[in-house]
Amino acid sequence: MANIYIIEERCVGCGLCVKECPYSAITLVYKKEQQTAATDKKLKTAVIDLNKCTYCGACVDACKKYAAIVLQKEEEARIEAGKDEYRGVWVFAEQRHGKISEVVFELLGVGRKLADKLKVPLSAVLIGYKVEQYAQELIYYSADRVYVYDDEKFAEFRDEVYTKVLADLIKEEKPEIVLMGATAIGRSFASRVATRLHTGLTADCTELDIDPQTRDLLQTRPAFGGNIMATIRTPRHRPQMATVRHKVMKPAPYDTSRKGEIIKKKSDSIIPQWNQFIQFIEDTTQKVNLADADIIVSGGRGLGKPEGFKLIEELATLLGGAVGASRAAVDAGWISYSHQVGQTGRTVAPKLYIACGISGAVQHLVGMSSSKVIVAINKDRDAPIMKVATFALVGDLYEIVPAIINELTKKENVAKEVA
Amino acid sequence: MEIIVCIKQVPGTTNVKIDTQRGTLIRDGVESIMNPFDEYALEEGVRIKEKYGGRVIAITMGPPQAEAVLREAISRGADEGVLLTDKAFAGADTWATSYTLSEGIKKIGAYDMIICGKQAIDGDTAQVGPSLAEHLNIPHCAYVRKIENIDIENKYIIVHRMMEDGTDVIKMPLPALITVVKEINTPRLPSFKRMVLAKKAQLAVWGQKELRCDVNKIGLKGSPTNVEKVFTPPPRHGGEYIEGTPQEQARKLIEKLKQLQII
């Protein structure tokens, strides 16, 4: 069976399809939310009477300009029929160096909501070595089921190994949604998994919801550096895969009374011996990593000298945060590239972002403007960063930052004395 | 070393507008540039060629005018350019794009390395590189910040992959694909001599017919994902200026952050 439907958001109610339809199967009706409104054509939307429709496609051609009518031919409809075999929401429980990534708890938070809407279980997939003890934790964080692959060969992340394991399990168990963190690991191998399974993958989502009619996952993500948002659907393929940005979703609650099932899996399949892990070099300049940080203190050209980062670091350490930098500061050689925030660096969304001596070029703003609270300290009252800042402090950062440090340590000392 | 560098032509600004009637992007009047990350990919390819010999072939998929980035690539050291262009390629998502690129690369022939930028600044997905490697069934490593060693005789490379908490050092057999970050090098500027060369260069231009690829796997039709709508996020409004002496500013700021339970 073929299938035809109208995307109401795109339909402008022009009526071209009504004229073209040889079977008089299309009528214009008022859009629901504007039923009582005036008679303006644009408030109407087309409706197809499926009893009259022969799926000839004349209306699709008539609607080329708005592309509001979707006709799925039989082959597509057949793929669509196979969709129903896929049930359940999965979260990839990324772990590294004996620690579950923070973003996993956020994935479980949003995954739980999606699973409840779809009335299906929420599962987590844990791949690693000596990781079994985390399975119970994932259940406390709202997973109903945890698949565990615990083997020495999974000790270090290797794209082709993890791809093989996850893709095989997906083929076997057929979940309808698979969520991963938009991390270095997630974004790298999710893409391989989706390609192998011939399904859609949406990168770096900031909002996820379910279309109750089609069970489709509505994936909203920023593009063009956050200047536009796009909502993306994977209408014909399963599973629907998405990577999710850090710090955007609310973490799942921790509840030790929760019960769940732990399924131990073995992977005996032959995996190509491609990439070999040699060693890990820890970033010792970064006590808290930028992606996981709730607070980031960043420095820019306004620091004027490399030593300025000592002050930035002092404030960051005091707040338990990470150190960021603008491109100008990195290019000047004052700090290493791994600290760079912005278009050619990292995108971050902490609870608090303190920009010191950063003017706020658009390339920097796209990397941090989704932070919850932005504090800007700058000499220039009219700098672009001041326009997006929640709190703008005009003045010399070499006076203001020490004053903040002083204020914070004073409070701490008082607290200690009281204690 | 036969090196293929994948390049994308992108709008020179991310400050794009939406045609609210049609729900599409307005690209007219926006200058096009080579995706910034691809400059690092190209530079790395050219450096490897200069050290070990061989060829650098730049490949792109896009509208006919995307040939401009191939000529720019040649002016920055690439030897040849391949443009994959066809109306049937339009509207491709990352799956269909990487499939099409993989078919183009298969037509080019044998290669040792494929280098891509970490991501493009318009789509921001970082998915095409890894997906391309999967289509070609070769290993890949994303976010490469440094190539430590290239062993041509034994056909492997050792790369440094940038992670959130540091660096993974990975040994990869060739042929392999890497995606690179800004840290890897400082791209050279086009030389006058090469600009003249680039202007005259003969580019290969291939469409669906030349690639003989599966029409069900290209363009909008071959894309598992559909963009349902695009919209402008609500603008972030500036908040308040905190005035006073540095000490007063600091005290007021901390009070406000405490009120918001941020610190």
Side-chain angles (χ1 to χ4, degrees):
Chain A
M1 262 292 281
N3 181 25
I4 193 162
Y5 62 92
I6 288 170
I7 302 171
E8 209 177 293
E9 288 88 26
R10 290 194 191 157
C11 179
V12 297
C14 68
L16 284 174
C17 54
V18 178
K19 280 183 208 143
E20 281 302 317
C21 179
Y23 304 95
S24 309
I26 311 180
T27 46
L28 290 181
V29 299
Y30 288 112
K31 286 197 179 181
K32 277 179 209 129
E33 70 266 28
Q34 289 152 337
Q35 243 161 9
T36 53
T39 52
D40 190 318
K41 261 191 167 180
K42 283 185 180 162
L43 299 176
K44 290 185 171 183
T45 181
V47 176
I48 302 171
D49 181 350
L50 293 179
N51 294 320
K52 291 182 186 165
C53 178
T54 65
Y55 307 98
C56 69
C59 54
V60 179
D61 290 339
C63 192
K64 263 194 187 133
K65 187 174 173 194
Y66 304 106
I69 307 179
V70 180
L71 172 65
Q72 293 171 324
K73 290 277 160 68
E74 282 184 33
E75 192 207 355
E76 288 176 5
R78 189 178 49 75
I79 300 176
E80 182 133 7
K83 271 167 46 173
D84 290 340
E85 293 172 26
Y86 289 80
R87 283 292 179 261
V89 177
W90 281 17
V91 162
F92 173 68
E94 178 179 325
Q95 57 80 31
R96 214 168 133 71
H97 306 135
K99 193 174 162 279
I100 300 278
S101 298
E102 292 288 324
V103 70
V104 173
F105 307 115
E106 296 158 22
L107 295 176
L108 288 167
V110 66
R112 185 75 260 167
K113 278 188 200 134
L114 300 175
D116 291 347
K117 274 194 186 176
L118 291 164
K119 300 192 174 63
V120 292
L122 172 66
S123 308
V125 182
L126 180 60
I127 306 172
Y129 182 43
K130 296 181 178 163
V131 291
E132 232 181 280
Q133 74 265 27
Y134 303 121
Q136 191 58 48
E137 289 288 294
L138 294 168
I139 289 170
Y140 293 157
Y141 277 108
S142 83
D144 298 314
R145 193 184 294 153
V146 183
Y147 297 96
V148 187
Y149 288 87
D150 199 312
D151 195 310
E152 206 174 343
K153 63 186 170 193
F154 305 134
E156 297 296 341
F157 168 70
R158 286 181 295 159
D159 281 278
E160 68 274 18
V161 178
Y162 277 46
T163 299
K164 175 82 181 146
V165 172
L166 187 61
D168 283 354
L169 188 64
I170 290 172
K171 280 186 206 159
E172 202 178 297
E173 298 287 332
K174 294 189 166 43
E176 61 202 294
I177 292 172
V178 178
L179 306 177
M180 297 163 100
T183 58
I185 287 178
R187 288 180 91 165
S188 176
F189 98 104
S191 190
R192 256 199 123 108
V193 174
T195 304
R196 186 166 301 179
L197 298 169
H198 196 171
T199 192
L201 169 65
T202 305
D204 208 19
C205 297
T206 54
E207 207 183 309
L208 295 171
D209 203 356
I210 298 290
D211 175 349
Q213 252 175 357
T214 56
R215 298 176 75 88
D216 282 353
L217 181 64
L218 302 173
Q219 309 160 100
T220 301
R221 67 177 301 261
F224 288 89
N227 277 300
I228 67 157
M229 303 294 288
T231 302
I232 291 168
R233 208 193 262 267
T234 303
R236 305 182 306 274
H237 299 70
R238 290 294 181 270
Q240 307 159 87
M241 294 184 63
T243 58
V244 179
R245 187 176 280 192
H246 288 259
K247 298 280 163 202
V248 180
M249 307 294 177
K250 243 177 114 178
Y254 186 74
D255 176 0
T256 51
S257 68
R258 278 190 52 85
K259 298 268 182 294
E261 186 187 0
I262 295 171
I263 303 169
K264 289 178 196 170
K265 301 286 286 184
K266 284 251 177 302
S267 177
D268 304 319
S269 53
I270 295 158
I271 295 164
Q273 289 304 308
W274 282 347
N275 290 0
Q276 246 176 287
F277 175 84
I278 296 179
Q279 62 163 324
F280 170 63
I281 305 166
E282 200 180 339
D283 185 351
T284 48
T285 67
Q286 191 81 284
K287 283 175 208 104
V288 184
N289 84 52
L290 278 175
D292 284 342
D294 280 328
I295 296 177
I296 294 173
V297 186
S298 269
R301 199 194 301 273
L303 291 176
K305 52 188 182 211
E307 296 75 32
F309 274 100
K310 291 221 173 82
L311 187 63
I312 299 295
E313 215 178 289
E314 194 183 339
L315 179 56
T317 309
L318 201 56
L319 292 167
V323 174
S326 72
R327 175 174 184 159
V330 172
D331 285 356
W334 297 348
I335 190 162
S336 73
Y337 170 66
S338 56
H339 295 263
Q340 188 182 320
V341 171
Q343 190 173 67
T344 49
R346 294 182 199 265
T347 301
V348 296
K351 285 188 189 138
L352 173 61
Y353 188 90
I354 305 181
C356 308
I358 294 175
S359 63
V362 65
Q363 289 84 351
H364 187 75
L365 297 183
V366 301
M368 46 62 79
S369 58
S370 48
S371 306
K372 284 191 190 72
V373 172
I374 297 170
V375 174
I377 303 168
N378 208 293
K379 273 185 178 158
D380 179 3
R381 178 174 282 271
D382 298 317
I385 191 93
M386 304 304 243
K387 306 285 176 241
V388 300
T390 325
F391 303 115
L393 283 67
V394 183
D396 183 351
L397 72 94
Y398 284 107
E399 288 178 17
I400 297 175
V401 176
I404 294 172
I405 292 171
N406 189 27
E407 195 71 23
L408 284 168
T409 41
K410 199 166 77 191
K411 292 267 159 64
E412 248 174 41
N413 290 338
V414 172
K416 267 183 207 153
E417 276 165 32
V418 172
Chain B
M1 291 285 275
E2 293 283 299
I3 299 156
I4 294 171
V5 178
C6 301
I7 289 171
K8 185 178 186 186
Q9 189 178 47
V10 297
T13 168
T14 54
N15 194 11
V16 290
K17 299 274 180 321
I18 299 170
D19 179 338
T20 44
Q21 271 268 299
R22 304 184 59 181
T24 53
L25 297 176
I26 303 170
R27 295 197 186 229
D28 302 343
V30 179
E31 172 212 19
S32 293
I33 58 163
M34 181 188 291
N35 175 44
F37 283 106
D38 301 347
E39 292 182 19
Y40 305 102
L42 176 65
E43 177 66 26
E44 200 60 22
V46 173
R47 286 186 188 189
I48 295 169
K49 178 193 84 171
E50 284 168 350
K51 202 164 166 193
Y52 300 96
R55 268 193 320 172
V56 172
I57 301 171
I59 186 170
T60 191
M61 181 186 100
Q65 58 268 30
E67 72 152 77
V69 287
L70 294 175
R71 296 200 188 276
E72 188 185 340
I74 292 170
S75 75
R76 289 169 181 267
D79 299 286
E80 289 170 41
V82 176
L83 172 63
L84 306 180
T85 190
D86 197 314
K87 281 210 172 95
F89 296 157
D93 71 354
T94 58
W95 199 100
T97 301
S98 50
Y99 168 76
T100 311
L101 284 170
S102 75
E103 291 296 306
I105 288 169
K106 282 179 195 164
K107 192 174 161 69
I108 290 171
Y111 54 87
D112 299 294
M113 265 179 92
I114 299 173
I115 312 179
C116 306
K118 164 196 156 193
Q119 66 191 53
I121 61 164
D122 52 356
D124 290 331
T125 72
Q127 283 171 195
V128 169
S131 179
L132 174 57
E134 176 67 20
H135 278 297
L136 293 167
N137 196 29
I138 57 170
H140 87 272
C141 188
Y143 309 114
V144 171
R145 69 199 314 176
K146 184 182 169 187
I147 299 179
E148 187 187 294
N149 184 27
I150 298 179
D151 189 328
I152 291 193
E153 215 164 288
N154 299 306
K155 282 198 160 291
Y156 70 82
I157 55 173
I158 293 175
V159 298
H160 288 206
R161 176 175 59 201
M162 183 167 165
M163 308 297 280
E164 281 85 4
D165 55 356
T167 301
D168 279 357
V169 182
I170 306 285
K171 180 177 169 182
M172 313 175 74
L174 297 176
L177 180 147
I178 58 170
T179 77
V180 302
V181 297
K182 177 191 155 195
E183 195 185 8
I184 196 161
N185 58 45
T186 309
R188 72 194 66 188
L189 293 171
S191 71
F192 180 72
K193 203 176 120 197
R194 290 210 64 93
M195 274 159 83
V196 175
L197 207 69
K199 221 173 175 180
K200 290 191 208 148
Q202 194 78 36
L203 305 172
V205 181
W206 298 335
Q208 184 270 327
K209 282 206 184 78
E210 285 79 18
L211 295 184
R212 290 198 209 131
C213 57
D214 187 341
V215 289
N216 294 311
K217 292 182 177 173
I218 57 173
L220 190 61
K221 197 176 170 190
S223 299
T225 62
N226 288 170
V227 177
E228 180 151 302
K229 62 172 179 187
V230 288
F231 56 100
T232 315
R236 190 181 179 112
H237 292 292
E240 52 177 309
Y241 283 87
I242 297 178
E243 315 280 358
T245 65
Q247 286 70 29
E248 285 163 4
Q249 284 174 307
R251 207 183 54 242
K252 283 184 210 164
L253 174 68
I254 286 162
E255 253 167 48
K256 287 184 188 292
L257 294 178
K258 289 223 162 116
Q259 266 169 24
L260 293 167
Q261 296 182 323
I262 296 283
I263 57 171

